[in-house]
Amino acid sequence: MSGISPFHALAFRKLPSGPLMERMMEETVPHPFPAHAQDQLNALSSIEPSGPYRASSVEGPGPGWIERFPIIVHSHLRWDFVWQRPQQILSRMAQHHRIAFIEEPVEGSRYAPASLEISEPMDNIIRIVPLLPGPPDGVDEQSRVILQLVRAALADHPLLQGRFERPVQWFYSPMTAPVMLGEFGSAGVVYDCMDELANFRFAPTDIRQREALLLDRADIVYTGGYQLYEAKSAQHPNVHFHGCGVDAAHFGGARLAQTQVPASIANLARPVFGYFGVIDERLDYPLIAALAAQFPEASIVMAGPLAKVEQHQLPAAPNIHWLGQQAYEDLPALAKGFDVCLMPFALNDATRFINPTKTLEYMATATPIVSTAVADVVRNFTPVVAIAHDREEFLDLAARALRSPDAELIEEGVQRAAAASWSQTVADMRGELQSALRSAEDRSMARCPVVDAEATE
């Protein structure tokens, strides 16, 4: 896929064909790339960093806007991928704000014009998937095409028209920032930094420069981990740490008698060591293999989609079961079948700044948890989570969790999960964002004072 950063290779995938594609097309509204836009594309240029921090300019968005401003999101993650931080936050923000969720492009037919697949997966969430005929020369060229498509859609698409005046732009990745910043008449910029993407496998070489630009233009920065908070606080004056939340009632379903363990694991040999989440370079695969060897009578269940790893690269053993992606609504039932919940993360650059959402989700299921010594897990979740500093300790703690789970620590975890709602997290974030937008408006008014007409006569 020449011209597409390898970091985006997962997102820039080919859409399925046949009946599945036909159903997808029936559920979405195509929005073609306007023929006149190519001339406009040629006139666009990338935005370059231009000095110290500068907040967005808010120019009279109107009364009540601060309570209902629309949001345009730029995400490197799919809305229908693993249900995680972006979906948890934005689904709750959508109770107050209209949200357009722009994903990275997928590759469609080379014979069809560039277009957008636009749908509404839930109330007030408009999902926008760019469909390009082939990979362009680079991320900025790709972003310029998408920019023109979105501009046109905002002007006349029935799900978007008139609904996104003076939006706040919300970034999960800095890759599109050079093209998208300052567009759509935006009144503010949010950077929700959930990972240190520069440390991930196949990260673009210029991602740090793009992030520096985004940090320069952002009104507010959120981080998903405390290590990230410390790092970004040195680069921006308005950074807020909002770590994991949890839908405790949802994952508490694992504790209910009526919840049935799915067939995929109900008949596996017990005990079951279980993990759900993305299967990528952040996992310690030799550790997983060692766990399977140490407990040959047990089942090791790894449930989640593959990202930047291939099936043949995964450890293979009769008692390791790779289940693939699971629906969010099915996770409590899956976890009910776990005897021990695993967080077998490798300790590398990709995990240095992570704060796994699954920690509190596991806690809500009332299951013992064993993790490697990820910094944010150590800081935020001990002693509820048993922390291993090497392979031998991990295997020992896994055996101990099976043999004698600590009921008091498990109950403490249940209580911590109950007190860490996503709804409260989002309420706090929304209040901080409103404050940042008011401050930006005040600075804008100070730079452009009202002139007394009579005094100038």
Side-chain angles (χ1 to χ4, degrees), residues 243-263:
C244 303
V246 63
D247 186 341
H250 177 64
F251 284 93
R255 310 196 307 271
L256 301 178
Q258 62 266 33
T259 299
Q260 295 186 349
V261 176

Side-chain angles (χ1 to χ4, degrees), residues 1-9 12 105 132 134-143 175 204 210:
M1 292 187 292
S2 173
I4 293 294
S5 163
F7 182 70
H8 297 154
F12 201 101
L132 303 184
D137 293 333
V139 174
D140 288 342
E141 289 76 8
Q142 163 187 309
S143 297
M175 290 306 296
R210 290 170 182 269

Side-chain angles (χ1 to χ4, degrees), residues 98-118:
R98 295 182 294 276
I99 294 172
F101 188 87
I102 305 174
E103 301 179 5
E104 291 179 342
V106 295
E107 186 175 356
S109 169
R110 69 180 64 184
Y111 305 109
S115 62
L116 301 175
E117 296 294 342
I118 300 176

Side-chain angles (χ1 to χ4, degrees), residues 65-183:
W65 176 87
I66 199 70
E67 297 295 330
R68 53 176 171 75
F69 53 83
I71 299 171
I72 294 179
V73 179
H74 305 276
S75 177
H76 60 295
L77 299 170
R78 298 281 173 210
W79 184 260
D80 61 356
F81 192 53
V82 173
W83 191 267
Q84 52 187 305
R85 181 182 178 91
Q87 292 92 335
Q88 295 283 11
I89 291 173
L90 296 171
S91 62
R92 288 165 173 81
M93 289 290 285
Q95 296 173 18
H96 307 279
H97 307 274
R98 295 182 294 276
I99 294 172
F101 188 87
I102 305 174
E103 301 179 5
E104 291 179 342
V106 295
E107 186 175 356
S109 169
R110 69 180 64 184
Y111 305 109
S115 62
L116 301 175
E117 296 294 342
I118 300 176
S119 59
E120 190 169 17
M122 60 185 301
D123 288 347
N124 257 4
I125 300 281
I126 309 302
R127 182 187 183 191
I128 301 175
V129 183
L131 186 61
L132 303 184
D137 293 333
V139 174
D140 288 342
E141 289 76 8
Q142 163 187 309
S143 297
R144 292 184 184 111
V145 172
I146 295 169
L147 171 62
Q148 295 297 336
L149 289 168
V150 173
R151 279 178 173 170
L154 290 173
D156 61 22
H157 193 281
L159 290 177
L160 298 169
Q161 185 180 23
R163 303 181 70 199
F164 288 88
E165 301 296 326
R166 304 296 292 154
V168 168
Q169 293 207 73
W170 186 300
F171 289 82
Y172 278 103
S173 165
M175 290 306 296
T176 63
V179 171
M180 297 297 182
L181 281 169
E183 297 295 338

